[in-house]
Amino acid sequence: MPLFEGVVPPVVTPLTSDFDVDYEAFDRVVDFLLEAGVHGLFVLGSTSEVVFHDEKTRLKIIERALRRAGGRVPVLAGVIDTATDRVIAQARAAQSAGVDAVVATAPFYARTSQPEIVDHFRYLREALEVPVIAYDIPVCVHIKLERSTISTLAREGAIAGLKDSSGDDGSFRYVLADTAGLPDFFAMTGSEIVVDSMLNLGAHGVVPGLANVDPHGYVRLWNLCRSGDLAGARREQERLCKLFEIVWLGLPRISAGSAGVGAFKTAMRSLGIIETNTLARPQRALNGEETARLDAILRATGLLE
Amino acid sequence: MPLFEGVVPPVVTPLTSDFDVDYEAFDRVVDFLLEAGVHGLFVLGSTSEVVFHDEKTRLKIIERALRRAGGRVPVLAGVIDTATDRVIAQARAAQSAGVDAVVATAPFYARTSQPEIVDHFRYLREALEVPVIAYDIPVCVHIKLERSTISTLAREGAIAGLKDSSGDDGSFRYVLADTAGLPDFFAMTGSEIVVDSMLNLGAHGVVPGLANVDPHGYVRLWNLCRSGDLAGARREQERLCKLFEIVWLGLPRISAGSAGVGAFKTAMRSLGIIETNTLARPQRALNGEETARLDAILRATGLLE
Amino acid sequence: MPLFEGVVPPVVTPLTSDFDVDYEAFDRVVDFLLEAGVHGLFVLGSTSEVVFHDEKTRLKIIERALRRAGGRVPVLAGVIDTATDRVIAQARAAQSAGVDAVVATAPFYARTSQPEIVDHFRYLREALEVPVIAYDIPVCVHIKLERSTISTLAREGAIAGLKDSSGDDGSFRYVLADTAGLPDFFAMTGSEIVVDSMLNLGAHGVVPGLANVDPHGYVRLWNLCRSGDLAGARREQERLCKLFEIVWLGLPRISAGSAGVGAFKTAMRSLGIIETNTLARPQRALNGEETARLDAILRATGLLE
Amino acid sequence: MPLFEGVVPPVVTPLTSDFDVDYEAFDRVVDFLLEAGVHGLFVLGSTSEVVFHDEKTRLKIIERALRRAGGRVPVLAGVIDTATDRVIAQARAAQSAGVDAVVATAPFYARTSQPEIVDHFRYLREALEVPVIAYDIPVCVHIKLERSTISTLAREGAIAGLKDSSGDDGSFRYVLADTAGLPDFFAMTGSEIVVDSMLNLGAHGVVPGLANVDPHGYVRLWNLCRSGDLAGARREQERLCKLFEIVWLGLPRISAGSAGVGAFKTAMRSLGIIETNTLARPQRALNGEETARLDAILRATGLLE
């Protein structure tokens, strides 16, 4: 059986208007997600604005999540950094804090080749006790984890799983085929909008940023897929696709990054879960006009009255 | 008069075979560069493998460079990090250590827009005393600092200078034109191979990784350009172009990043300046066969007997 | 009801070893596909090496296909050219020859914007009687047909359908949603490897180059999806995914284009359908060693004894 | 001595408002360029909107140019098409018409590798009598002619020259070095804005689209560079850089392609050389407001009173 499965939202990091982490709001987010029935929490992912936070803050976020989750679900922590030894240092801190797994990308800023990326994950494996999950997110890292890189690492046991945010469904399918004989290995999709397809292909879970806004929807979608209700799953997914359109409201005024996480935070503010839609600097938040259009989408998809 | 000008090498960070910084070798590198007559030192740039080092190590490197340089030339320090507040934290440490300027890129990993990048540098300006130099290196950061971004920041005084490693000479020329009326502003090229052209266009300096291998060559090139000896400058540049071919010897076995910095380190080892050609993990160093071909190039360009 | 649906292979154009079209082999390919039960033929697509053939040859291919198909299934013809008026000229010739629809991309070589691409398809609509299908293939055209471009054109009736070879399944799903209220509009995927997923999402058909090698497989897959046998469809698709691995055998010795179409032709030669695996100049064909590995895949997927 | 040298403008193709070629205006453009002293004419390049014209029109344009030029300067003709045998067919027609050389790109739309591109040019060489010039324009063709591709072809004599519109000045410099021992080979830059630099590096000529607007400027620039007046050349180049800003006036309303050639045509209309600023379909022309800003630039650079 794979180590983790199901809906594992990348948890948004709420900020005060002074750009500090709002830990009380963070607790409310954790509660909101757990009450909706999610199967795990992924803190310090891209949706968590991880790269905007320093090591000390990152550790505090991990500790807060672990305390609030209280063992009810596994907690995965992103250890997103530019190079091997920096990732190891962070991962050791996360491991000591008690996370259930760490999630690491290929190196970034520096350019590395696929064989060097294979070595990177082998070094992590040697240095750590906790399971390591490979995070494939070329839109941020600017290199794709190739199918053979992932499959090699999976077969060696260097990685326990994959979080695929590459948008390359064909490649993801081949990874599922390559690792089908590895009962412990799991592969999760980072997509918000083709989750039914990916679960039908054999994905073990989903890590959707949008689940911060509508965790119930993704839990329903997961259950519908598990029960084999294809048509019901498709209907739920299509509602979530409509909701996902909030991520484009800020474009092109702000960047795709700010528009996406900014939309999640703005929606969560509209839903009363967090206090501000502030993003870490230098990102710009959604403005009033964009918020009005966002609220209309929340209403159209049944989240707001 | 611009704050800095001339040849300002991005100083290689020598490692022991155990992947620790070799500070004695580092001192020798600094001496080698200063004795050749370079006009400044840029520590913690891409060529320095900056993103492989943690904050503590980065600060030690800065301190070592300042101590060894002993005020003979200005010392610029890269404060390369993913987002505004992380950059500010590092820049404050560098400032306290006594650097003459800090060098910062746009945010990376997270995607930001040009207006957000403008804000990023404005926030740095507000938070710091020391001059801030914008570093345009899209091959690492995956976004270009647009001409209007640079010109806006230069006019506001938010940035004191530019280090251009974009390879977009046309855009660089427009920046020079836009800032021609700003007597304090300076623009340096990060190119190794069109330095004569860029100096003829009005660039105030050059930051060539290859100067770690042949600082005398770049100092000669600078002097030839200053004296108006176009033909002599071209001859010297063409010799340096031939030398620069060492950066492709490792391809495609290793990545462009490893092949480039790896070639500089390997050449410096052949020249007796440093002890190893070890690169920070997970980068792979040049092998024996590649080193033999590299040495042949060193001989062909007059650096090795 | 949409104009077309089902499995519509992009028909390979067999060549003699002298680089002429081998029309007898072409007839055999058409027979092979029709006997397998495909629902339409798409001649002069990318898989047909359309851009290697001149206008006169293109017309002969269309006429040959129409004659051989004899009205048993609709025949769609690619009218792939760089700009509007060139596309119109070719489309008029195809229309006069009697094709059931033409398939056109955005302009290429010249750079155009999305509004200009919308105009491009409007001009085609005005100039032609025959239905126009938009062909989204950014790997060749180097621009994506944006969702709003496609939806605008579909609502206006400027395009009757879409062939999506973009690999962007999320965007394709949004197009399906946008056009759900347009009963005549149809959207086909050009994927070979996520066909079950795309049909489950509501795609009206599939245009797989690999169907030249295994049309029975894709017809089976279509029927399994229509009958709601999700597990059976997935099994068939996974066999086809294994077969699709032939397209990578030539890499990196030859280009992705040559390796892909070259693999289809080589497999068809191994199966006795065509005489040569020759590709139009300057493409290089698969060599003997690659052919041996390809035959092993044909055996492993049940196509060769 | 190289076959060609100097200023060789890619000649704009004027259109009537009905999208036909305006041959009388074309003659005026040729006269305008020749009277300014350009050293050759390049018809049917990207600036000529070559890919919008069919073969018959292309041949008429060649014949018109040859007749009007009347042997006063060499006439080079672009033979821009997707694949080898299509290029050969066009090149034979151009050769029969009497052009002095043909200019060909790598294949496009279809993806080819560097070895296949080398073969492409070898096939052209075998099939033709006329000199073949390689045209490196990755912004249109979406692949770069690598240094080793160009140098191999130059050494073999398969290509007589290079037109470099890649913007990669470093690579261009290496090609100049590689071919320095080939007295017949020539390399021209397609840049408008670093022409002084490229000529100082040893380029044999320049093919600037902007010379349609200000041929006198580029001839002056050429002469200043030849006479070694570096400062004078830089001043002239900087004026031309200011003029070149017209190519961005249409952005982002229209595409970079339309904005660029559209600006040249609009300026030529303002200067009374051609009648319309119409672009081939589906490109959109500059509008009135953009034209007003363009005229202001013409005035500021001394071209309009």
Side-chain angles (χ1 to χ4, degrees):
Chain A
M1 228 195 63
L3 205 51
F4 307 111
E5 61 168 24
V7 178
V8 183
V11 185
V12 154
T13 309
L15 299 182
T16 68
S17 53
D18 293 333
F19 304 102
D20 294 317
V21 177
D22 181 342
Y23 288 102
E24 296 190 12
F26 182 79
D27 282 348
R28 285 200 300 278
V29 174
V30 170
D31 292 348
F32 176 60
L33 296 173
L34 292 182
E35 283 159 18
V38 305
H39 309 89
L41 297 174
F42 171 36
V43 297
L44 300 177
S46 308
T47 299
S48 319
E49 300 172 83
V50 57
V51 294
F52 296 88
H53 297 297
D54 60 23
E55 278 76 354
K56 217 169 117 186
T57 307
R58 293 187 191 192
L59 192 55
K60 281 184 69 178
I61 291 169
I62 288 173
E63 291 167 344
R64 191 82 179 202
L66 285 167
R67 191 175 331 132
R68 195 69 178 188
R72 287 176 286 171
V73 297
V75 173
L76 288 55
V79 288
I80 310 301
D81 215 321
T82 44
T84 304
D85 291 292
R86 292 178 61 103
V87 173
I88 288 174
Q90 278 192 49
R92 282 185 172 143
Q95 178 177 280
S96 298
V99 301
D100 295 279
V102 293
V103 183
T105 68
F108 51 92
Y109 187 93
R111 292 166 286 166
T112 49
S113 61
Q114 296 291 324
E116 289 167 325
I117 293 170
V118 169
D119 285 350
H120 172 69
F121 282 102
R122 286 172 176 161
Y123 294 138
L124 301 191
R125 179 66 283 136
E126 283 168 20
L128 302 170
E129 304 295 320
V130 78
V132 175
I133 300 169
Y135 188 0
D136 191 20
I137 184 163
V139 78
C140 292
V141 174
H142 296 283
I143 190 165
K144 172 134 190 38
L145 298 181
E146 288 182 4
R147 171 189 172 187
S148 67
T149 295
I150 299 165
S151 300
T152 298
L153 291 167
R155 271 195 301 268
E156 291 180 13
I159 57 174
L162 169 70
K163 186 203 166 207
D164 179 78
S165 296
S166 73
D168 185 341
D169 299 345
S171 173
F172 185 64
R173 179 168 216 159
Y174 278 109
V175 168
L176 288 172
D178 289 350
T179 58
L182 303 170
D184 295 338
F185 187 80
F186 66 97
M188 295 191 170
T189 177
S191 175
E192 272 93 357
I193 57 180
V194 290
V195 179
D196 53 346
S197 298
M198 294 304 105
L199 295 179
N200 287 336
L201 296 187
H204 305 87
V206 53
V207 190
L210 188 62
N212 286 281
V213 179
D214 190 4
H216 301 88
Y218 281 98
V219 170
R220 264 196 306 275
L221 177 56
W222 169 259
N223 290 331
L224 287 162
C225 287
R226 299 287 276 193
S227 71
D229 182 352
L230 191 65
R234 188 172 149 194
R235 261 195 312 275
E236 184 62 32
Q237 175 66 85
E238 287 176 0
R239 191 186 60 80
L240 289 164
C241 285
K242 208 168 293 175
L243 177 60
F244 190 65
E245 303 208 30
I246 61 175
V247 303
W248 297 306
L249 294 171
L251 300 178
R253 192 184 60 83
I254 54 179
S255 63
S258 308
V261 178
F264 300 155
K265 285 192 161 177
T266 303
M268 294 166 83
R269 186 185 61 182
S270 290
L271 297 175
I273 304 160
I274 64 177
E275 305 290 331
T276 78
N277 72 344
T278 302
L279 299 172
R281 301 198 300 175
Q283 300 172 103
R284 294 182 177 185
L286 262 60
N287 63 26
E289 185 268 331
E290 290 152 357
T291 300
R293 287 194 286 142
L294 183 146
D295 287 346
I297 293 176
L298 293 181
R299 280 189 290 271
T301 52
L303 295 186
L304 205 63
E305 301 219 337
Chain B
M1 225 196 65
L3 205 52
F4 307 112
E5 62 168 23
V7 178
V8 184
V11 186
V12 154
T13 309
L15 299 182
T16 68
S17 52
D18 293 333
F19 305 102
D20 294 317
V21 176
D22 180 342
Y23 288 102
E24 297 190 11
F26 182 79
D27 282 348
R28 283 200 301 278
V29 175
V30 170
D31 292 347
F32 176 60
L33 297 173
L34 292 183
E35 284 159 18
V38 305
H39 308 89
L41 297 175
F42 171 35
V43 297
L44 300 177
S46 308
T47 299
S48 319
E49 299 172 84
V50 57
V51 295
F52 295 88
H53 298 295
D54 60 23
E55 279 77 354
K56 218 169 116 187
T57 307
R58 293 188 192 191
L59 191 54
K60 281 184 70 178
I61 291 169
I62 288 173
E63 291 167 344
R64 190 84 179 201
L66 285 167
R67 192 174 331 134
R68 194 71 179 187
R72 287 177 285 172
V73 297
V75 173
L76 288 54
V79 289
I80 310 301
D81 214 321
T82 44
T84 304
D85 290 293
R86 292 177 62 102
V87 173
I88 288 174
Q90 278 192 49
R92 283 184 172 144
Q95 178 178 279
S96 298
V99 301
D100 295 278
V102 293
V103 183
T105 68
F108 51 92
Y109 187 93
R111 291 166 287 165
T112 49
S113 61
Q114 296 291 324
E116 289 167 326
I117 293 169
V118 169
D119 284 351
H120 171 69
F121 281 102
R122 286 172 177 161
Y123 294 138
L124 301 191
R125 178 66 283 135
E126 283 169 19
L128 302 169
E129 303 296 319
V130 79
V132 175
I133 301 169
Y135 188 0
D136 191 19
I137 184 163
V139 78
C140 292
V141 174
H142 297 283
I143 191 166
K144 171 135 191 38
L145 298 182
E146 287 182 5
R147 171 188 171 187
S148 68
T149 295
I150 298 166
S151 300
T152 298
L153 291 167
R155 271 194 300 269
E156 290 180 14
I159 57 174
L162 169 70
K163 185 201 167 209
D164 179 78
S165 296
S166 73
D168 185 341
D169 299 344
S171 173
F172 185 64
R173 178 166 218 162
Y174 277 110
V175 168
L176 288 173
D178 290 350
T179 58
L182 303 170
D184 295 337
F185 186 81
F186 66 97
M188 294 192 171
T189 178
S191 175
E192 272 94 357
I193 57 180
V194 290
V195 179
D196 53 346
S197 298
M198 295 304 106
L199 294 179
N200 287 336
L201 296 187
H204 305 88
V206 52
V207 190
L210 188 63
N212 286 281
V213 179
D214 190 4
H216 300 87
Y218 281 99
V219 171
R220 263 197 306 275
L221 177 57
W222 169 258
N223 290 332
L224 288 163
C225 286
R226 298 287 276 193
S227 71
D229 181 352
L230 191 63
R234 188 172 150 194
R235 260 195 312 275
E236 184 62 32
Q237 176 65 84
E238 288 176 0
R239 191 187 60 80
L240 290 165
C241 287
K242 206 168 293 176
L243 178 58
F244 190 65
E245 303 207 32
I246 61 176
V247 304
W248 298 306
L249 294 171
L251 297 179
R253 192 182 60 83
I254 54 179
S255 64
S258 309
V261 178
F264 300 155
K265 285 191 160 177
T266 303
M268 294 166 83
R269 186 185 61 181
S270 291
L271 297 175
I273 304 160
I274 64 178
E275 305 289 332
T276 78
N277 72 343
T278 303
L279 299 173
R281 301 197 300 173
Q283 300 172 104
R284 293 181 178 187
L286 261 61
N287 62 26
E289 184 268 330
E290 289 152 358
T291 300
R293 287 194 286 142
L294 183 146
D295 287 346
I297 293 175
L298 294 181
R299 279 190 291 271
T301 52
L303 296 187
L304 205 62
E305 302 217 339
Chain C
M1 228 194 64
L3 205 51
F4 307 111
E5 61 167 25
V7 178
V8 183
V11 186
V12 153
T13 308
L15 299 181
T16 68
S17 52
D18 292 333
F19 303 103
D20 294 316
V21 177
D22 180 344
Y23 288 102
E24 296 189 12
F26 182 78
D27 282 349
R28 284 200 302 277
V29 175
V30 169
D31 292 348
F32 176 60
L33 297 173
L34 291 183
E35 283 159 18
V38 304
H39 308 89
L41 297 175
F42 171 35
V43 296
L44 301 177
S46 308
T47 299
S48 319
E49 298 172 86
V50 57
V51 294
F52 296 88
H53 297 297
D54 60 24
E55 279 77 353
K56 218 168 116 187
T57 307
R58 292 188 192 191
L59 192 54
K60 279 184 72 178
I61 291 169
I62 288 174
E63 289 167 345
R64 191 84 179 201
L66 285 167
R67 191 173 332 133
R68 195 72 179 186
R72 288 177 284 172
V73 298
V75 173
L76 287 55
V79 288
I80 310 302
D81 215 322
T82 44
T84 304
D85 290 293
R86 292 178 62 104
V87 173
I88 288 174
Q90 277 192 50
R92 283 186 173 143
Q95 180 176 279
S96 298
V99 301
D100 295 280
V102 293
V103 183
T105 67
F108 51 92
Y109 187 93
R111 292 166 286 166
T112 49
S113 62
Q114 296 291 323
E116 290 168 324
I117 293 169
V118 169
D119 285 350
H120 171 69
F121 282 102
R122 286 172 177 160
Y123 293 138
L124 301 191
R125 179 66 283 136
E126 282 168 21
L128 301 170
E129 303 295 319
V130 79
V132 175
I133 301 169
Y135 188 0
D136 191 19
I137 184 162
V139 77
C140 292
V141 174
H142 297 283
I143 189 166
K144 172 133 190 39
L145 298 181
E146 286 181 5
R147 171 189 172 186
S148 67
T149 295
I150 298 166
S151 300
T152 298
L153 292 167
R155 272 194 300 268
E156 291 180 13
I159 57 173
L162 169 70
K163 186 205 165 204
D164 179 80
S165 296
S166 73
D168 185 340
D169 298 346
S171 173
F172 185 63
R173 179 168 218 159
Y174 277 110
V175 168
L176 288 173
D178 290 349
T179 58
L182 303 170
D184 296 337
F185 187 81
F186 67 96
M188 294 190 171
T189 178
S191 175
E192 272 93 357
I193 56 179
V194 290
V195 179
D196 53 346
S197 297
M198 293 304 106
L199 294 178
N200 288 336
L201 295 187
H204 304 88
V206 53
V207 190
L210 189 62
N212 286 281
V213 179
D214 191 3
H216 301 87
Y218 281 98
V219 170
R220 264 196 307 273
L221 177 56
W222 169 258
N223 290 330
L224 288 162
C225 286
R226 298 286 276 193
S227 71
D229 181 352
L230 191 64
R234 187 173 150 194
R235 261 195 312 276
E236 184 62 32
Q237 176 67 83
E238 288 177 358
R239 191 186 60 80
L240 289 165
C241 286
K242 206 169 294 176
L243 177 60
F244 189 65
E245 303 207 32
I246 60 174
V247 305
W248 296 306
L249 294 172
L251 297 178
R253 192 184 59 84
I254 54 178
S255 63
S258 308
V261 177
F264 299 156
K265 285 191 160 178
T266 303
M268 294 166 84
R269 186 184 61 180
S270 292
L271 297 174
I273 304 160
I274 64 176
E275 305 290 330
T276 77
N277 72 343
T278 304
L279 299 173
R281 302 197 300 173
Q283 301 172 102
R284 293 182 178 188
L286 262 60
N287 62 25
E289 184 268 330
E290 290 152 358
T291 300
R293 286 194 288 141
L294 182 146
D295 288 346
I297 293 176
L298 293 181
R299 280 190 289 271
T301 52
L303 295 187
L304 204 62
E305 300 218 339
Chain D
M1 226 195 66
L3 204 52
F4 307 113
E5 61 168 25
V7 178
V8 184
V11 186
V12 154
T13 308
L15 299 182
T16 68
S17 53
D18 292 333
F19 304 103
D20 295 317
V21 176
D22 181 342
Y23 288 102
E24 296 190 11
F26 182 78
D27 282 349
R28 284 200 300 278
V29 175
V30 169
D31 292 347
F32 176 60
L33 297 173
L34 292 183
E35 283 159 19
V38 304
H39 308 89
L41 297 175
F42 171 35
V43 297
L44 301 176
S46 308
T47 299
S48 319
E49 298 172 85
V50 57
V51 295
F52 295 88
H53 297 297
D54 60 24
E55 278 78 352
K56 218 168 115 187
T57 307
R58 293 188 191 190
L59 191 55
K60 281 183 69 178
I61 291 169
I62 288 174
E63 290 167 345
R64 191 84 179 201
L66 285 167
R67 192 173 332 135
R68 195 71 179 185
R72 287 177 284 171
V73 298
V75 173
L76 287 56
V79 289
I80 311 300
D81 215 321
T82 43
T84 303
D85 290 293
R86 292 178 62 104
V87 173
I88 288 174
Q90 278 192 50
R92 283 185 173 145
Q95 179 176 280
S96 297
V99 301
D100 295 279
V102 293
V103 184
T105 68
F108 51 92
Y109 188 93
R111 292 166 286 166
T112 48
S113 61
Q114 296 291 325
E116 289 167 325
I117 292 170
V118 169
D119 285 350
H120 171 70
F121 281 102
R122 286 171 176 162
Y123 293 139
L124 301 191
R125 180 65 282 138
E126 282 167 20
L128 302 169
E129 304 296 319
V130 80
V132 175
I133 301 168
Y135 188 179
D136 191 20
I137 183 161
V139 78
C140 292
V141 173
H142 297 283
I143 190 164
K144 173 135 189 37
L145 298 181
E146 286 181 5
R147 170 188 173 188
S148 67
T149 295
I150 299 166
S151 300
T152 298
L153 291 167
R155 271 194 300 269
E156 291 180 13
I159 57 173
L162 169 70
K163 184 200 167 212
D164 179 78
S165 296
S166 74
D168 185 340
D169 298 346
S171 173
F172 184 65
R173 178 167 219 160
Y174 277 110
V175 168
L176 288 173
D178 290 349
T179 59
L182 303 169
D184 296 336
F185 187 81
F186 66 97
M188 294 191 170
T189 177
S191 175
E192 272 93 357
I193 56 180
V194 291
V195 178
D196 53 345
S197 298
M198 294 304 106
L199 294 178
N200 288 336
L201 296 187
H204 306 86
V206 53
V207 190
L210 188 63
N212 286 280
V213 178
D214 191 3
H216 301 87
Y218 281 99
V219 170
R220 263 196 307 274
L221 178 55
W222 169 258
N223 289 331
L224 288 162
C225 286
R226 298 287 276 193
S227 71
D229 182 352
L230 191 64
R234 187 173 150 194
R235 260 195 313 276
E236 184 61 32
Q237 176 65 84
E238 287 176 359
R239 191 187 60 81
L240 289 165
C241 287
K242 207 169 293 176
L243 177 59
F244 190 65
E245 304 208 32
I246 60 176
V247 305
W248 298 305
L249 294 171
L251 298 178
R253 193 185 59 83
I254 55 178
S255 62
S258 308
V261 178
F264 299 156
K265 285 191 161 178
T266 303
M268 294 166 84
R269 187 184 62 181
S270 291
L271 298 175
I273 303 160
I274 64 177
E275 305 289 332
T276 77
N277 72 343
T278 303
L279 299 173
R281 301 198 301 174
Q283 299 172 102
R284 293 181 177 187
L286 261 61
N287 62 25
E289 184 268 330
E290 290 152 358
T291 301
R293 286 194 287 142
L294 183 146
D295 287 346
I297 293 175
L298 294 181
R299 279 190 291 271
T301 52
L303 296 187
L304 205 61
E305 300 217 339

